[in-house]
Amino acid sequence: MHGGLHNRLLVPEVREEEIDLKSKVWQESKNIWRVALPGVISRVGSFGTLVVTQSFIGHISPLDLAGYALVQTIIVRFVNGILLGMSSATETLCGQAFGAGQYHMMGIYLQRSWIVDLITLTILLPVYIFGRQFFMLLGQEESIATKAGDVSLWFIPFVYSFVFSLTIQMYLQAQLKNKLIAWISVFQFILHVPLSWLFVTYFSFGLPGAMSALIISSWFLVFGEFIYIFGGWCPHSWRGFSKAAFLDIFPIVKLSLSSGLMVCLELWYYAVLVLIAGFMENAEVGISAFSICLNIYGWELMICLGFLGAACVRVANELGKGNANAVRFSIKVLVATSVLIGVFFSSLCFFFHKELAQLFTNDKEVADTVSDLSGLLSVSVFLNSIYPVLSGVAVGAGLQGTVAIVNLICYYLIGTPIGIYLGYGVGLQVKGVWIGMICGIVCQSITLCVLAWRTNWDEQVLKASQRLNRYYLKSEEETNQSSNQA
């Protein structure tokens, strides 16, 4: 009898634990989606402008499409990788500063990132100016290299918008104010589609019309962000331009470089594979088909990058607060949510592969090649749901240097050689290159899982505190308070 009573008394306790776990998961999910959803919308909208531009150019001519594909997949990814990576230092510092309540430092970190990124982009400008020579040096066909050289000049105003859009997004995201970016990105995309139709289809401006529409819509996003920040909607984190932005630049550069290397090694991986495809038989078809697949893949990746941002913010905020247990729990919920989304989108790519190809080209040979790659595309889309989240965890903790080493080994010492061997040695062509890419991503995903599992998060809390104290500058209120007390 006593045993039965004891068992009955245990039931409510188990249920309470289950309810408590459900409420914790629900609360954490709300925190994640609060950051992830606006991040997903903004990234999908911004990247969507590139995809829409490619779609319009693809209906102009196969040569224009191949030239645009080369520049967007290689040069733009090369420069964007550096800028995105270096900007992720802003994400780390702003996220941890917000968690620690050091709000005024966020505006200073933002200005420092503008200085570092603007100088970096200006140094890299010759890559765009001498685009034709660059692709000729890499051994591309002269007609494709010449067209790519024309396209690369049009991309210069576009990439300068990256300096501001990337860093401002991370700055606002860290303080949970990125709904604005989502709305502006939606308007940007809505503006870009009819603008592209007007310039390319109605006025028949061709390639210059498509690129002009891209430039206008990209700067529309940046000006909207400027109005929000300078207009007083970030009173605690934006105190105006400050000379303090020029102080402690070198430690920021060091963190930015490790961040840049981490992302670059990832984004350049796909660019290297497109280059490999360019040396195969029927290069124009190979580049165009591979680029279309990478754009579909990249568009879905933007959704996963929303979770990368959420992972970074959640980890950085909790480390700033000194809560290691919350970091561990957040990682589990993030990975589970992202994997479910990955399963959904990989299924769409597998079942609707023919329709996807027809959106980007009228060329039957290119469309057939895209359709043939659909199985590999769906696998890649699923893998997208794992490694970006774990990369975001690393960025939030400031572990970019470690992930850079992982990316170097998995992508370039494992994935690329396998892709070259299968593409050329076995004769699988573009499909072999893609299988090599998947092998590299699988190795990276497994390594990052082990890294996240074995990281001592209590130790990371201490490191985050030391980092914030090293960069900390007193606000005007604190300075005045100290003067009055003296």
Side-chain angles (χ1 to χ4, degrees), residues 285 289-290 292-293 353-354 356-358 361-375 431:
V285 172
F290 202 28
I292 287 170
C293 285
H353 53 92
K354 289 183 180 177
L356 287 171
Q358 290 164 3
T361 181
N362 294 326
D363 190 292
K364 187 178 183 301
E365 196 174 356
V366 174
D368 288 343
T369 306
V370 171
S371 184
D372 192 43
L373 290 168
S374 62
K431 190 178 282 188

Side-chain angles (χ1 to χ4, degrees), residues 2-229:
H2 291 292
L5 178 63
H6 180 67
N7 289 337
R8 283 198 301 273
L9 289 173
L10 279 177
V11 173
E13 289 179 16
V14 173
R15 285 178 182 168
E16 280 176 20
E17 286 177 9
E18 287 177 357
I19 292 168
D20 186 50
L21 178 61
K22 286 179 182 176
S23 64
K24 281 177 69 179
V25 170
W26 174 248
Q27 185 57 48
E28 183 59 35
S29 295
K30 286 200 295 184
N31 291 337
I32 289 167
W33 279 104
R34 187 179 175 186
V35 179
L37 185 59
V40 167
I41 294 170
S42 61
R43 284 180 168 91
V44 168
S46 298
F47 188 78
T49 59
L50 286 169
V51 178
V52 167
T53 301
Q54 183 177 34
S55 181
F56 274 95
I57 290 174
H59 290 88
I60 297 171
S61 78
L63 182 61
D64 284 322
L65 177 60
Y68 176 87
L70 265 184
V71 176
Q72 191 221 322
T73 315
I74 296 174
I75 295 183
V76 175
R77 277 181 185 271
F78 170 75
V79 174
N80 186 29
I82 294 173
L83 293 178
L84 180 61
M86 296 186 80
S87 300
S88 74
T90 312
E91 204 165 15
T92 302
L93 294 170
C94 284
Q96 293 181 1
F98 184 79
Q102 299 177 2
Y103 305 121
H104 70 283
M105 287 300 299
M106 298 177 72
I108 294 172
Y109 292 142
L110 177 63
Q111 292 170 61
R112 285 175 183 169
S113 68
W114 286 347
I115 294 165
V116 172
D117 285 8
L118 278 170
I119 293 170
T120 303
L121 179 55
T122 305
I123 292 169
L124 294 170
L125 215 53
V127 179
Y128 285 94
I129 296 171
F130 301 105
R132 178 183 175 278
Q133 292 86 340
F134 174 72
F135 287 116
M136 288 291 288
L137 189 66
L138 291 174
Q140 295 297 315
E141 292 180 13
E142 187 174 355
S143 58
I144 297 176
T146 302
K147 181 59 68 175
D150 295 337
V151 174
S152 66
L153 294 173
W154 280 100
F155 263 110
I156 292 174
F158 172 77
V159 293
Y160 267 100
S161 70
F162 276 177
V163 171
F164 303 102
S165 62
L166 291 173
T167 50
I168 291 173
Q169 180 170 342
M170 292 170 180
Y171 160 80
L172 292 175
Q173 190 170 262
Q175 53 192 309
L176 309 178
K177 288 188 174 183
N178 57 339
K179 283 183 183 177
L180 165 93
I181 301 173
W183 282 110
I184 300 176
S185 297
V186 169
F187 287 127
Q188 175 196 17
F189 186 77
I190 291 171
L191 169 71
H192 184 65
V193 175
L195 202 61
S196 297
W197 175 85
L198 188 69
F199 287 175
V200 178
T201 307
Y202 187 78
F203 288 121
S204 299
F205 289 160
L207 181 66
M211 296 306 298
S212 296
L214 182 65
I215 293 165
I216 292 168
S217 60
S218 64
W219 279 98
F220 172 83
L221 174 68
V222 174
F223 285 126
E225 292 169 340
F226 281 158
I227 290 168
Y228 184 78
I229 294 174

Side-chain angles (χ1 to χ4, degrees), residues 388-411:
V389 172
L390 298 173
S391 294
V393 169
V395 171
L399 296 171
Q400 290 95 324
T402 305
V403 180
I405 296 169
V406 171
N407 289 350
L408 177 65
I409 294 170
C410 294
Y411 288 157

